[in-house]
Amino acid sequence: FASATGGRRGGHHGRPGMDVVCVGILVADIFSSPVDAMPAAGELKLAERFLLSAGGCAVNTAACLRRLGKQVRVVGKVGRDLFGDFVVRDLERLGMDASSVKRSETHPTSGTFILNVKGEDRRYIHLMGANADLSAEDIDLDALTGARVLYVGGYLALPKLGAAGVARSARS
């Protein structure tokens, strides 16, 4: 990653420095275009399209910061599956450093299906997935070196991480 002045920013062990490191929940979001009503049990409703997007606290914050021109690294965990591959590729497509995203050996990538019904609030079906497996040990301390800001999103919903694990990592 290049700095705003065009030069490389110094980081630890040759990794470029970051303005912000975003740690937390990574999700493969699947959005349905609006349907006219909720389907009844066993009924098929047709949608015009589905949209697949990387989401979650860490991703959403990092995406907004990238739009503001900040250099951002994302730290989190996805599964060893197609959705995990997609999340990592989407982060990279958006210009984020995804090199510190880990892969869970036991959980699939977290996912949320968002059903939009015309005139109503959205409905969500969520799979916690690999986010349940993210722990302080998954955070490469070199990934934090040189960052001006550490953002931790959704840590109360990350059972293996929690506030104590984040504090230990930040102090190290």
Side-chain angles (χ1 to χ4, degrees), residues 31-78:
F31 296 87
S32 167
S33 61
V35 295
D36 59 351
M38 282 292 293
E43 179 185 10
L44 174 68
K45 277 285 182 192
L46 297 179
E48 289 182 21
R49 68 186 185 123
F50 291 133
L51 171 69
L52 180 61
S53 176
C57 300
V59 174
N60 295 340
T61 300
C64 289
L65 290 166
R66 276 301 295 145
R67 281 187 215 110
L68 294 171
K70 301 301 178 189
Q71 297 299 316
V72 183
R73 177 174 293 129
V74 176
V75 177
K77 206 164 201 179
V78 296

Coordinates of all heavy atoms in Angstrom, one line a residue, residues 31-78:
F31 N -27.9 -10.5 0.1 CA -29.1 -9.6 0.1 C -30.1 -10.1 -0.9 O -29.7 -10.3 -2.1 CB -28.7 -8.2 -0.2 CG -27.9 -7.5 0.9 CD1 -26.5 -7.7 0.8 CD2 -28.4 -6.8 1.9 CE1 -25.7 -7.1 1.8 CE2 -27.6 -6.2 2.9 CZ -26.2 -6.3 2.8
S32 N -31.3 -10.2 -0.6 CA -32.4 -10.4 -1.6 C -33.0 -9.1 -2.1 O -33.2 -8.2 -1.2 CB -33.5 -11.3 -1.0 OG -34.6 -11.3 -1.8
S33 N -33.2 -9.0 -3.4 CA -34.0 -7.8 -3.8 C -35.4 -7.9 -3.2 O -35.8 -9.0 -2.8 CB -34.1 -7.7 -5.3 OG -34.7 -8.9 -5.8
P34 N -36.1 -6.8 -3.0 CA -37.4 -6.8 -2.3 C -38.4 -7.8 -3.0 O -38.5 -7.8 -4.2 CB -37.8 -5.4 -2.4 CG -36.6 -4.6 -2.5 CD -35.7 -5.4 -3.4
V35 N -39.1 -8.5 -2.1 CA -40.2 -9.3 -2.6 C -41.5 -8.6 -2.1 O -41.5 -7.8 -1.1 CB -40.1 -10.8 -2.1 CG1 -38.9 -11.4 -2.7 CG2 -40.1 -10.8 -0.6
D36 N -42.6 -9.0 -2.7 CA -43.9 -8.3 -2.3 C -44.5 -8.7 -1.0 O -45.2 -7.9 -0.3 CB -44.9 -8.4 -3.4 CG -45.3 -9.9 -3.7 OD1 -44.6 -10.8 -3.2 OD2 -46.2 -10.1 -4.5
A37 N -44.1 -9.9 -0.5 CA -44.6 -10.4 0.7 C -43.8 -11.6 1.2 O -43.1 -12.2 0.4 CB -46.1 -10.9 0.6
M38 N -43.8 -11.9 2.5 CA -43.1 -13.1 3.0 C -43.7 -14.3 2.4 O -45.0 -14.4 2.3 CB -43.2 -13.1 4.5 CG -42.3 -12.2 5.3 SD -40.6 -12.6 5.1 CE -40.5 -14.2 6.0
P39 N -42.9 -15.3 2.0 CA -43.5 -16.5 1.5 C -44.2 -17.3 2.6 O -43.7 -17.3 3.7 CB -42.3 -17.2 0.9 CG -41.1 -16.6 1.5 CD -41.5 -15.2 1.9
A40 N -45.2 -17.9 2.3 CA -45.9 -18.9 3.3 C -45.0 -20.1 3.3 O -44.2 -20.4 2.4 CB -47.3 -19.2 2.8
A41 N -45.3 -20.9 4.3 CA -44.5 -22.2 4.4 C -44.7 -23.0 3.1 O -45.8 -23.2 2.6 CB -45.1 -23.0 5.6
G42 N -43.5 -23.4 2.6 CA -43.5 -24.2 1.4 C -43.7 -23.4 0.1 O -43.7 -24.0 -1.0
E43 N -44.0 -22.1 0.2 CA -44.2 -21.3 -1.0 C -42.9 -20.8 -1.6 O -42.0 -20.4 -0.8 CB -45.1 -20.1 -0.7 CG -45.3 -19.1 -1.8 CD -46.1 -17.9 -1.4 OE1 -46.3 -17.6 -0.2 OE2 -46.5 -17.1 -2.3
L44 N -42.8 -20.7 -2.9 CA -41.6 -20.2 -3.5 C -41.9 -18.7 -3.9 O -42.9 -18.4 -4.6 CB -41.2 -21.0 -4.8 CG -40.1 -20.4 -5.7 CD1 -38.8 -20.5 -4.9 CD2 -40.1 -21.2 -7.0
K45 N -41.0 -17.8 -3.5 CA -41.1 -16.4 -3.9 C -40.0 -16.1 -4.9 O -38.8 -16.5 -4.6 CB -41.0 -15.5 -2.7 CG -42.2 -15.2 -1.9 CD -43.1 -14.3 -2.7 CE -44.4 -14.1 -1.9 NZ -45.4 -13.4 -2.7
L46 N -40.2 -15.4 -5.9 CA -39.2 -15.0 -6.8 C -38.6 -13.6 -6.5 O -39.4 -12.7 -6.2 CB -39.7 -15.0 -8.3 CG -40.2 -16.4 -8.8 CD1 -40.7 -16.2 -10.2 CD2 -39.1 -17.4 -8.7
A47 N -37.3 -13.5 -6.5 CA -36.6 -12.2 -6.4 C -36.0 -11.9 -7.7 O -35.7 -12.7 -8.5 CB -35.5 -12.4 -5.3
E48 N -35.7 -10.6 -7.9 CA -35.1 -10.1 -9.1 C -33.6 -10.5 -9.1 O -33.0 -10.7 -10.2 CB -35.3 -8.7 -9.4 CG -36.8 -8.3 -9.7 CD -36.9 -6.8 -10.0 OE1 -36.0 -6.1 -10.3 OE2 -38.1 -6.4 -9.9
R49 N -33.0 -10.4 -7.9 CA -31.6 -10.7 -7.9 C -31.1 -10.9 -6.4 O -31.8 -10.5 -5.5 CB -30.7 -9.7 -8.5 CG -30.7 -8.3 -7.8 CD -29.9 -7.3 -8.7 NE -29.9 -6.1 -7.9 CZ -28.7 -5.4 -7.6 NH1 -27.6 -5.9 -8.0 NH2 -28.8 -4.3 -6.9
F50 N -30.0 -11.5 -6.3 CA -29.3 -11.6 -5.0 C -28.0 -10.8 -5.1 O -27.4 -10.8 -6.2 CB -29.0 -13.0 -4.6 CG -30.2 -13.9 -4.2 CD1 -30.3 -15.1 -4.8 CD2 -31.1 -13.4 -3.4 CE1 -31.4 -15.9 -4.4 CE2 -32.2 -14.2 -3.1 CZ -32.3 -15.5 -3.6
L51 N -27.5 -10.2 -4.0 CA -26.3 -9.5 -4.0 C -25.4 -10.1 -2.9 O -25.9 -10.3 -1.8 CB -26.5 -8.0 -3.7 CG -25.2 -7.2 -3.4 CD1 -24.4 -7.1 -4.7 CD2 -25.6 -5.8 -2.8
L52 N -24.2 -10.5 -3.2 CA -23.3 -11.1 -2.2 C -22.3 -10.0 -1.9 O -21.7 -9.4 -2.8 CB -22.6 -12.3 -2.8 CG -21.6 -13.0 -1.9 CD1 -22.2 -13.5 -0.6 CD2 -20.9 -14.2 -2.7
S53 N -22.0 -9.7 -0.6 CA -21.1 -8.7 -0.2 C -20.4 -9.1 1.1 O -21.1 -9.7 1.9 CB -21.9 -7.4 0.0 OG -21.1 -6.3 0.5
A54 N -19.2 -8.7 1.2 CA -18.5 -8.8 2.5 C -19.1 -7.8 3.5 O -19.4 -6.7 3.1 CB -17.0 -8.7 2.4
G55 N -19.4 -8.2 4.7 CA -19.9 -7.3 5.7 C -19.4 -7.7 7.1 O -18.5 -8.5 7.3
G56 N -20.1 -7.2 8.1 CA -19.7 -7.4 9.5 C -19.0 -6.1 10.0 O -18.6 -5.3 9.2
C57 N -19.0 -6.0 11.3 CA -18.4 -4.7 11.9 C -17.1 -4.3 11.4 O -16.9 -3.2 11.0 CB -18.3 -4.9 13.4 SG -19.9 -5.3 14.3
A58 N -16.1 -5.2 11.4 CA -14.8 -4.9 10.9 C -14.8 -4.5 9.4 O -14.1 -3.5 9.1 CB -13.8 -6.1 11.2
V59 N -15.5 -5.2 8.6 CA -15.5 -5.0 7.2 C -16.2 -3.6 6.9 O -15.7 -2.8 6.1 CB -16.2 -6.1 6.4 CG1 -16.3 -5.8 4.9 CG2 -15.4 -7.4 6.6
N60 N -17.4 -3.4 7.5 CA -18.1 -2.2 7.2 C -17.3 -1.0 7.6 O -17.3 0.0 6.8 CB -19.5 -2.2 7.9 CG -20.4 -3.4 7.4 OD1 -20.2 -3.9 6.3 ND2 -21.3 -3.7 8.1
T61 N -16.7 -1.0 8.7 CA -15.9 0.1 9.2 C -14.7 0.3 8.3 O -14.4 1.5 7.8 CB -15.4 -0.1 10.6 OG1 -16.6 -0.2 11.5 CG2 -14.6 1.1 11.1
A62 N -14.0 -0.7 7.9 CA -12.9 -0.6 7.0 C -13.3 -0.1 5.7 O -12.5 0.7 5.1 CB -12.2 -2.0 6.9
A63 N -14.4 -0.5 5.2 CA -14.8 0.0 3.8 C -15.1 1.5 3.9 O -14.7 2.2 2.9 CB -16.1 -0.8 3.4
C64 N -15.7 1.9 4.9 CA -16.0 3.4 5.0 C -14.6 4.2 5.1 O -14.5 5.2 4.5 CB -16.8 3.7 6.2 SG -18.5 3.1 6.0
L65 N -13.7 3.6 5.9 CA -12.4 4.3 6.0 C -11.6 4.3 4.7 O -11.0 5.3 4.4 CB -11.6 3.6 7.1 CG -12.1 3.8 8.5 CD1 -11.4 2.9 9.5 CD2 -11.8 5.3 9.0
R66 N -11.7 3.2 3.9 CA -11.1 3.2 2.6 C -11.7 4.3 1.7 O -11.0 4.9 1.0 CB -11.2 1.8 1.9 CG -10.2 0.8 2.4 CD -8.8 1.2 2.1 NE -8.5 1.3 0.7 CZ -7.7 2.2 0.2 NH1 -7.0 3.1 0.9 NH2 -7.4 2.3 -1.1
R67 N -13.0 4.4 1.7 CA -13.6 5.5 0.9 C -13.1 6.8 1.3 O -13.2 7.8 0.5 CB -15.2 5.4 1.1 CG -15.8 4.3 0.3 CD -17.3 4.3 0.3 NE -17.8 3.0 0.3 CZ -18.4 2.4 1.3 NH1 -18.6 3.0 2.4 NH2 -18.7 1.1 1.2
L68 N -12.7 7.0 2.5 CA -12.1 8.3 3.0 C -10.6 8.4 2.7 O -10.0 9.3 3.1 CB -12.4 8.4 4.5 CG -13.9 8.6 4.9 CD1 -14.0 8.5 6.4 CD2 -14.4 9.9 4.3
G69 N -10.1 7.4 2.0 CA -8.7 7.4 1.7 C -7.7 6.8 2.7 O -6.5 7.0 2.5
K70 N -8.2 6.2 3.7 CA -7.3 5.6 4.7 C -6.7 4.3 4.3 O -7.4 3.5 3.6 CB -8.0 5.5 6.1 CG -8.5 6.8 6.6 CD -7.4 7.8 6.8 CE -8.0 9.2 7.3 NZ -6.9 10.2 7.3
Q71 N -5.5 4.0 4.8 CA -4.9 2.6 4.6 C -5.4 1.8 5.7 O -5.3 2.1 6.9 CB -3.4 2.7 4.6 CG -2.8 3.6 3.5 CD -3.2 3.0 2.1 OE1 -3.1 1.8 1.8 NE2 -3.6 3.9 1.2
V72 N -6.1 0.6 5.3 CA -6.7 -0.2 6.3 C -6.3 -1.7 6.2 O -6.3 -2.2 5.1 CB -8.3 -0.1 6.2 CG1 -9.0 -0.9 7.2 CG2 -8.7 1.4 6.2
R73 N -6.1 -2.3 7.3 CA -5.9 -3.7 7.4 C -7.1 -4.3 8.2 O -7.5 -3.8 9.2 CB -4.6 -4.0 8.1 CG -4.3 -5.5 8.3 CD -2.9 -5.8 8.8 NE -1.9 -5.4 7.8 CZ -0.9 -4.6 8.1 NH1 -0.7 -4.1 9.3 NH2 0.0 -4.3 7.1
V74 N -7.5 -5.5 7.7 CA -8.6 -6.2 8.4 C -8.1 -7.5 9.0 O -7.3 -8.2 8.4 CB -9.8 -6.5 7.4 CG1 -10.9 -7.3 8.1 CG2 -10.4 -5.2 6.8
V75 N -8.5 -7.7 10.3 CA -8.1 -8.9 11.0 C -9.3 -9.6 11.5 O -10.2 -9.0 12.1 CB -7.2 -8.5 12.2 CG1 -6.8 -9.8 13.0 CG2 -5.9 -7.8 11.8
G76 N -9.5 -10.8 11.1 CA -10.6 -11.6 11.5 C -10.5 -13.0 11.1 O -9.3 -13.5 10.8
K77 N -11.6 -13.8 11.0 CA -11.5 -15.2 10.7 C -12.7 -15.6 9.8 O -13.8 -15.2 10.1 CB -11.5 -16.0 12.0 CG -10.9 -17.4 11.9 CD -10.6 -17.9 13.2 CE -9.5 -19.0 13.1 NZ -9.2 -19.5 14.5
V78 N -12.4 -16.4 8.8 CA -13.3 -16.9 7.9 C -13.1 -18.4 7.8 O -12.1 -18.9 8.3 CB -13.3 -16.3 6.5 CG1 -13.6 -14.8 6.5 CG2 -11.9 -16.5 5.8

